Amino acid sequence: MTLVPCTVIVGAFWGDEGKGKIISYLALKDKLDFCVRTGSVNAAHTVWAEGNRYALHMVPAAFINPKCRLLVAAGANVHVAKFLEEVEVTKVHNRIGVDQNASIIEEKHSVEDKASAVNKGIGTTGWGVGPALEERVRRTAKLAKDIPELKPYITDGVAEVNDGLDNGKKVLLEGTQGFMLSLFYGTYPYVTGRDTGASAIASEAGVGPTRVDEVLIVYKSFITRVGAGPLPGEITKEEAQRRGWFETAAGTGRDRRSAPFDFDLAKKTAKINGATQAAVTKLDSMFPTCRGARKLDALPAEAKNFVKEVEARAGVPVVLIGTGPDALDIIDLRK
Ligand code: IMP
Ligand code: MG
């Protein structure tokens, strides 16, 4: 079985769960026809393909399948320079589109973000996403269709995706960040400027709730958080290094704080997002002998038990297990 027509990918915790890796796997394995990037430039999705590492802030993570049509959602905020730079690096000029109604994030938003005492206290990424969204709410933000450099890419992405679904095309809606950074459901005020949940991802892409077939929630085997705000069970940097969990942010290079997997939180986020499937990433960070495994039988009993416990306690079937950085380092349990 491969993906049914429309799947939403949502992060379970505070972002950096490995959504980019899961999406790049599905792009290749399930031959995705469309991938729609929501959110903005604050979120970096890491994709490893054929020994190259990409940290994508604007281009959808499914770009590694050369047949996939790539779209930036109407609800997204486009950083024009970053978009053009990534289009160049990934060579997707001929198959990427920006929805005409996506709004624009500008340098002034970043300046405001970095200067604001409130945003400093939250520890934002400094890209200016909050101020850019404020402008959109005030109805003074520029839209993608007004930007000459974007002209070759402007499209009606909402029509493309919905027509694609009418024709049975496989569509993936790429969420960014994690549910606990949601403006509505996260650890307010230590959150980002938008709702990061599955319903919001569909809304940003212009896909109605009844058209979504699967919600795939992505759990990392341990939890990380960048910036300020609560992180239950947090361990020290030294302890994280000892356990092999210590990470730095793909986008900003900041240290990521870390904590062990939280089964109760996993259950809660699965429920609120209506998750129908789950992925567990970075199992090799918890159990180094799992590295690169592509079959369940190759896992030690303790790793299998961990995955079983996630499934039982979150109440969602685990269908994909990440065992290494490459797009294809996956155990795929879908029948
Ligand atoms: P902002 O989204 O830049 O406004 O930052 C608000 C909070 O969300 C800060 O704690 C950031 O570190 C966090 N954040 C924003 N984007 C990401 C992401 O992609 N991964 C992890 N944390 C993020
Ligand atoms: Mg990230």
Side-chain angles (χ1 to χ4, degrees):
M1 189 190 84
T2 55
L3 278 184
V4 285
C6 187
T7 296
V8 174
I9 300 272
V10 63
F13 301 130
W14 282 272
D16 308 311
E17 297 90 358
K19 292 177 293 297
K21 186 242 166 57
I22 295 296
I23 295 164
S24 56
Y25 173 78
L26 294 173
L28 295 175
K29 202 68 189 175
D30 292 8
K31 304 189 172 60
L32 294 178
D33 297 300
F34 290 90
C35 183
V36 189
R37 175 69 147 78
T38 61
S40 191
V41 66
N42 48 357
H45 287 176
T46 304
V47 173
W48 276 92
E50 292 165 355
N52 296 316
R53 177 180 179 276
Y54 302 85
L56 300 169
H57 296 79
M58 288 268 94
V59 167
F63 87 92
I64 66 170
N65 175 343
K67 292 198 174 138
C68 186
R69 170 78 170 150
L70 308 171
L71 294 169
V72 178
N77 278 129
V78 181
H79 188 287
V80 178
K82 199 77 191 163
F83 172 82
L84 295 173
E85 176 196 317
E86 289 184 358
V87 166
E88 208 57 53
V89 169
T90 54
K91 302 183 185 71
V92 295
H93 308 77
N94 297 329
R95 58 189 176 98
I96 192 162
V98 177
D99 192 282
Q100 55 196 355
N101 293 324
S103 57
I104 302 298
I105 177 166
E106 299 177 75
E107 186 54 29
K108 66 176 181 184
H109 299 130
S110 173
V111 171
E112 192 185 327
D113 199 2
K114 287 175 184 158
S116 154
V118 169
N119 295 358
K120 271 189 195 157
I122 292 168
T124 72
T125 61
W127 280 102
V129 172
L133 288 166
E134 274 179 49
E135 261 219 88
R136 189 158 195 181
V137 173
R138 280 203 300 268
R139 269 79 32 110
T140 53
K142 290 179 187 153
L143 296 187
K145 62 185 171 197
D146 304 323
I147 306 297
E149 296 97 304
L150 292 180
K151 202 158 182 210
Y153 306 104
I154 296 301
T155 184
D156 184 344
V158 176
E160 278 197 51
V161 159
N162 282 285
D163 291 349
L165 288 173
D166 287 344
N167 294 311
K169 300 289 185 201
K170 287 180 214 149
V171 174
L172 188 144
L173 308 181
E174 175 173 355
T176 58
Q177 309 160 293
F179 191 60
M180 297 314 291
L181 287 172
S182 164
L183 181 61
F184 303 153
Y185 312 105
T187 48
Y188 188 91
Y190 300 100
V191 293
T192 191
R194 50 189 276 279
D195 179 15
T196 51
S199 310
I201 295 163
S203 166
E204 281 191 24
V207 173
T210 56
R211 308 209 83 182
V212 172
D213 301 290
E214 301 276 359
V215 174
L216 173 53
I217 193 164
V218 183
Y219 299 120
K220 189 158 62 181
S221 300
F222 51 98
I223 296 180
T224 56
R225 171 164 206 173
V226 195
L231 178 58
E234 181 167 5
I235 59 173
T236 62
K237 178 174 172 178
E238 292 68 35
E239 178 62 14
Q241 281 165 331
R242 204 183 57 72
R243 297 187 192 188
W245 296 355
F246 179 68
E247 299 178 339
T248 51
T252 57
R254 291 183 290 175
D255 287 1
R256 287 182 184 159
R257 301 157 59 197
S258 55
F261 194 87
D262 183 333
F263 293 97
D264 294 331
L265 187 60
K267 180 177 180 179
K268 176 180 141 178
T269 58
K271 187 191 283 192
I272 303 174
N273 284 286
T276 57
Q277 301 180 319
V280 173
T281 63
K282 290 216 161 187
L283 197 64
D284 55 306
S285 296
M286 287 264 283
F287 308 100
T289 56
C290 297
R291 184 97 179 180
R294 297 187 183 185
K295 291 217 162 70
L296 194 63
D297 294 343
L299 299 184
E302 49 180 358
K304 276 190 217 164
N305 289 341
F306 173 73
V307 173
K308 269 191 213 144
E309 192 175 355
V310 172
E311 192 163 87
R313 293 180 63 181
V316 187
V318 172
V319 296
L320 299 171
I321 302 170
T323 58
D326 191 87
L328 297 174
D329 287 335
I330 286 266
I331 298 171
D332 189 340
L333 299 172
R334 297 173 302 166
K335 291 290 170 312

